[in-house]
Amino acid sequence: MSTHPAYRADVNAAGMRVGVVIGRFNEDITQRLLDAAVDTLRRCGAADDNIDVVWVPGAFEIPVVLEKLAINDQYDALIALGCVIRGDTPHFEFVANECARGCGSVARNHRIPVGFGLLTTDTWEQADARAGGMHGNKGEDAVLAAVETAGVLRQL
């Protein structure tokens, strides 16, 4: 048994203000990610008036809007939702990598959890499976990770 302090938080969003930034590209998928994210926030105790949703054209634009929200210092957690499906060109790698890098940068620079719900799949069927299909819903997963991390940060 360790004598070191241990920090662990419940997934409780009561009193938290959360910003959700979502890419419109592949909106049939991203809307399902958003629906699950908002539902999860509500189930975790977040009030509707403490959930702000911002739509952007696609995944590449998500980090700059997260940055703007983080600068305001009004949010306890941020959620990034999007869907990039591989095509025939290297565009997929550029968009997915820059979105991931930007989300991580916002989290580190502003010390705010960013739930990363960007689907990066080879096919539409794989995206569908991760937006409420057989692999669950990554919008829900992103919220749970961000809310729990926000709780841990409050303890520290």
Side-chain angles (χ1 to χ4, degrees):
M1 180 179 244
S2 175
T3 59
H4 301 288
Y7 300 93
R8 187 177 186 150
D10 293 327
V11 183
N12 181 354
M16 284 188 187
R17 183 149 182 222
V18 179
V20 180
V21 181
I22 179 167
R24 197 171 52 249
F25 200 79
N26 293 314
E27 189 171 353
D28 50 334
I29 297 291
T30 61
Q31 181 65 56
R32 291 169 33 210
L33 296 174
L34 176 62
D35 292 344
V38 171
D39 180 62
T40 303
L41 284 166
R42 288 175 179 149
R43 284 187 291 114
C44 292
D48 283 342
D49 58 351
N50 280 342
I51 303 169
D52 295 332
V53 176
V54 182
W55 285 89
V56 297
F60 191 81
E61 293 78 22
I62 291 171
V64 70
V65 176
L66 288 172
E67 177 75 21
K68 177 69 172 177
L69 295 178
I71 286 172
N72 291 336
D73 201 28
Q74 297 176 10
Y75 295 93
D76 298 290
L78 299 172
I79 312 297
L81 302 174
C83 177
V84 183
I85 300 173
R86 187 179 305 277
D88 296 329
T89 68
H91 182 74
F92 170 91
E93 283 84 7
F94 297 125
V95 171
N97 288 339
E98 285 306 311
C99 183
R101 185 176 296 115
C103 291
S105 177
V106 169
R108 286 185 304 276
N109 291 341
H110 297 280
R111 294 175 178 87
I112 184 170
V114 176
F116 190 68
L118 178 72
L119 301 182
T120 54
T121 64
D122 291 323
T123 66
W124 187 92
E125 290 78 18
Q126 290 173 343
D128 182 56
R130 289 156 179 78
M134 63 186 263
H135 291 291
N137 191 301
K138 300 309 175 187
E140 176 182 11
D141 294 348
V143 166
L144 294 174
V147 169
E148 183 176 346
T149 303
V152 169
L153 288 173
R154 283 181 174 175
Q155 293 176 28
L156 298 174

